[in-house]
Amino acid sequence: MRSLIFALSVAATTAELVPKASALALPNPLRRFGGGLGKRGGEKQQPASELLTPGETLVAGAAARMVAQTILHPLDVVRTRTQAVSMGTSSLAESLSFGLIPQVGLSAPAGAIQFTAVRKARKALENALPDDFVKSSQGRFATQLVAAACGAACAGAIRIPQEVMKQGCMVELYPNALVAFSTILAEKGLAGFYKGAVATITRDVMWNSLSFSIFRLLLDYANTSNPKAQYSLGIAAGWLAALATHPFDVAKTRVMTSSGDLTVGLFAQLAGLVEAEGWQVLLSGLVPRLLYLGPLASLVLATNEVIAGALVKARGKAARAGGA
């Protein structure tokens, strides 16, 4: 199993999803350091994602999350089945496609909502806060942290139903997504799609805000628009955020893969797990989660930047052609 997880992780992080750095003609604000890592003290470039129009932000965010979650779906299955208390009798190989439809189908709208909300929240914060603070390193980190938290909270409207259906399929509570949807709706109504909402929102807001802010901090420090460097920075950001939020992920998975309803609060549930199974339960599934979330952060955040660069470039070409 470990060799399979490792192979999937390597494949995900080395996939040629975008042109090589030398083949990607970056927009003017990004060209100065397009060849690699910029030197500290050099002129800071503005991330391509901050140059997008609202419509372009929606497209880039949707595409980035759909690409990432589709590629990494097998690792998500392994993580979920490692953390769950009980599951069906299918082998690991047989289960790797379980939950794929809600994973892929709902990842695009979740990504669109997330990155659009991040953009709007960041703009609102930048307009409300003093310019000196916004332009400082601490200010940029703080605004990115809060904006990313807002984006994750808004995306929860799609992400929670996605998690409920896909994880139910992954552990074989339901044979497929259609049965999952109809069963949940018939038995519990719309509220059933938001089972474990507190644990999911807590985990998602913390992980997304931390990974997004750490990525932007590293991107600002490295001062690079090189795709390979950006993917590496994304992995580091995803790992650090995953370590900080893993206990909440364990709690979320236990709730969503159980047949009953949660009757206690999030922290009471964590305390109960530790009392019943020992503190080691809070580390269950950590390795596959790190191997999943490192590449996930990398693919979502860095692919968003690469797509943003391509969109800005295309817009510039169109403008030049229109003015000719």
Side-chain angles (χ1 to χ4, degrees):
M1 180 182 292
R2 289 183 179 178
S3 61
L4 174 61
I5 295 172
F6 179 75
L8 288 169
S9 179
V10 170
T13 55
T14 57
E16 290 290 341
L17 298 176
V18 295
K20 296 183 183 297
S22 59
L24 182 62
L26 297 170
N28 286 333
L30 304 179
R31 283 180 185 158
R32 185 181 301 274
F33 301 106
L37 297 178
K39 295 180 180 180
R40 294 289 294 166
E43 181 183 340
K44 290 296 180 184
Q45 57 181 302
Q46 188 176 12
S49 59
E50 295 184 7
L51 304 174
L52 297 179
T53 65
E56 290 170 342
T57 298
L58 187 148
V59 170
R65 182 162 274 284
M66 185 171 67
V67 167
Q69 289 196 255
T70 301
I71 290 176
L72 297 172
H73 180 75
L75 284 173
D76 197 15
V77 174
V78 174
R79 175 188 66 86
T80 299
R81 290 174 73 91
T82 301
Q83 292 179 346
V85 175
S86 61
M87 66 193 75
T89 58
S90 299
S91 67
L92 176 62
E94 292 172 331
S95 68
L96 291 180
S97 63
F98 292 174
L100 183 60
I101 291 178
Q103 179 87 287
V104 176
L106 296 176
S107 58
I113 291 173
Q114 178 183 353
F115 280 92
T116 299
V118 168
R119 172 193 171 90
K120 288 184 176 296
R122 189 185 70 244
K123 294 291 185 182
L125 288 168
E126 289 174 349
N127 291 333
L129 296 171
D131 286 344
D132 290 344
F133 176 75
V134 170
K135 293 177 181 179
S136 68
S137 297
Q138 297 88 341
R140 283 182 60 82
F141 182 81
T143 54
Q144 294 293 353
L145 185 72
V146 175
C150 292
C154 292
I158 301 295
R159 289 276 298 132
I160 298 170
Q162 179 192 41
E163 290 286 300
V164 169
M165 288 190 289
K166 84 173 183 186
Q167 291 198 326
C169 292
M170 287 175 179
V171 299
E172 302 175 68
L173 286 177
Y174 315 106
N176 55 60
L178 182 59
V179 172
F181 178 83
S182 59
T183 301
I184 295 169
L185 186 62
E187 293 182 355
K188 301 186 178 179
L190 292 177
F193 293 101
Y194 291 89
K195 181 180 181 180
V198 173
T200 305
I201 287 293
T202 301
R203 181 207 64 172
D204 281 3
V205 166
M206 291 180 64
W207 183 80
N208 279 281
S209 59
L210 286 173
S211 61
F212 195 96
S213 302
I214 292 171
F215 175 73
R216 284 302 182 88
L217 183 67
L218 295 174
L219 191 63
D220 183 62
Y221 183 87
N223 204 23
T224 180
S225 57
N226 182 291
K228 290 184 178 179
Q230 290 179 342
Y231 283 119
S232 298
L233 297 177
I235 290 175
W239 279 345
L240 291 172
L243 287 170
T245 60
H246 190 69
F248 300 106
D249 187 62
V250 174
K252 179 201 74 73
T253 300
R254 289 296 182 90
V255 173
M256 289 186 172
T257 58
S258 66
S259 56
D261 294 323
L262 181 65
T263 58
V264 297
L266 174 60
F267 291 99
Q269 183 193 11
L270 288 172
L273 287 174
V274 171
E275 182 178 355
E277 304 177 42
W279 65 267
Q280 296 90 339
V281 68
L282 300 181
L283 300 178
S284 60
L286 178 60
V287 172
R289 185 166 183 256
L290 288 175
L291 292 176
Y292 171 68
L293 287 183
L296 179 65
S298 174
L299 289 170
V300 171
L301 298 173
T303 299
N304 182 66
E305 288 298 326
V306 172
I307 293 173
L311 289 173
V312 173
K313 174 189 171 185
R315 178 162 27 102
K317 283 186 175 181
R320 288 193 296 271

